[in-house]
Amino acid sequence: MSKLYFRYGAMNSGKSTALLQAAYNYEERSQHVLIAKPSVDSKGDKSIISRLGVSRDVDFLITPTQNLREKFASEAGTLNRTENKKIACLLLDEAQFLTPEQVDQCLEIAVLDGVPVLAYGIRTDFKTLSFPGSKRLLEISHSLEELKTICRCGRKAMFNGRLLNGVFVFDGEQVAIDGEQVTYESLCANCYLEKTI
């Protein structure tokens, strides 16, 4: 049976790099993958960009109202018909932006369609609250794997601090993609709590 995997970590823990490595590993063995990400993630447009400088275009974007299983079937069917490629794996970047229904559809792709789904994302926002997609992935994934990174103090980072013009903020919308004024920093619990005081 194929499985749904959730590989999560704080920002800058190498999630996109790990996804690109997984794609490379499959393709090195003549296996074909589909790579997708939610359209909410406008960073990189249709690309996944690793901090190491490696990038790759996604095969398709997922809109918030889209049925992911139907979209996957359409994309996989097209590749099978036009290029005789059977899809060995679905790789999802920024999975925290999926809806809970789309996460359920990921499970259906893995279990009912027999295609492993590897979802990469962060657990919580800058206020330490779960993203709806991440919450559902934590609830139903067959396998959970934490990708680790370190805080500026050297401890394990587990929170994502939001900075607005270089100042930590703890109020605002859950989603604000990196821009000129908004940036993020991975922090351990101690450093995160110190910033809230």
Side-chain angles (χ1 to χ4, degrees):
M1 176 181 80
S2 295
K3 295 180 180 178
L4 171 58
Y5 300 83
F6 184 34
R7 296 177 175 166
Y8 64 91
M11 296 186 82
N12 300 322
S13 60
K15 296 176 300 298
S16 295
T17 302
L19 181 150
L20 294 170
Q21 181 67 51
Y24 180 85
N25 290 345
Y26 271 96
E27 292 169 344
E28 184 179 44
R29 290 160 183 84
S30 300
Q31 301 290 310
H32 305 289
V33 300
L34 280 176
I35 301 176
K37 72 175 186 174
S39 61
V40 171
D41 177 35
S42 58
K43 181 180 60 201
D45 296 321
K46 277 195 74 176
S47 296
I48 294 174
I49 303 170
S50 162
R51 288 181 304 127
L52 299 180
V54 180
S55 66
R56 177 172 171 167
D57 285 346
V58 298
D59 295 296
F60 63 94
L61 294 173
I62 306 157
T63 63
T65 59
Q66 199 161 41
N67 182 307
L68 180 52
R69 186 177 181 206
E70 289 176 3
K71 180 65 174 170
F72 169 76
S74 172
E75 295 288 330
T78 298
L79 279 174
N80 197 4
R81 284 189 305 278
T82 60
E83 300 179 37
N84 199 28
K85 292 181 177 177
K86 184 176 182 320
I87 301 304
C89 181
L90 173 61
L91 299 164
L92 299 170
D93 198 30
E94 304 294 350
Q96 70 272 9
F97 296 136
L98 295 173
T99 65
E101 294 78 18
Q102 289 169 333
V103 173
D104 289 344
Q105 293 155 11
C106 289
L107 183 64
E108 292 170 0
I109 292 168
V111 175
L112 301 178
D113 301 331
V115 177
V117 178
L118 283 66
Y120 295 79
I122 57 179
R123 281 183 317 152
T124 60
D125 65 15
F126 71 107
K127 297 183 268 189
T128 70
L129 300 174
S130 294
F131 284 94
S134 298
K135 181 177 185 293
R136 190 68 181 138
L137 281 160
L138 289 166
E139 292 169 342
I140 67 170
S141 293
H142 294 95
S143 175
L144 301 171
E145 179 184 347
E146 183 179 16
L147 303 176
K148 297 174 180 70
T149 191
I150 59 169
C151 178
R152 60 171 71 171
C153 70
R155 293 184 187 105
K156 176 185 151 188
M158 55 187 288
F159 296 118
N160 304 297
R162 179 184 287 175
L163 294 97
L164 183 60
N165 295 319
V167 177
F168 282 96
V169 295
F170 299 92
D171 292 314
E173 295 296 318
Q174 186 172 48
V175 177
I177 305 298
D178 291 352
E180 285 183 33
Q181 300 169 341
V182 175
T183 57
Y184 292 89
E185 183 178 342
S186 302
L187 299 169
C188 70
N190 287 10
C191 290
Y192 181 88
L193 291 174
E194 285 174 5
K195 298 296 180 192
T196 64
I197 298 172

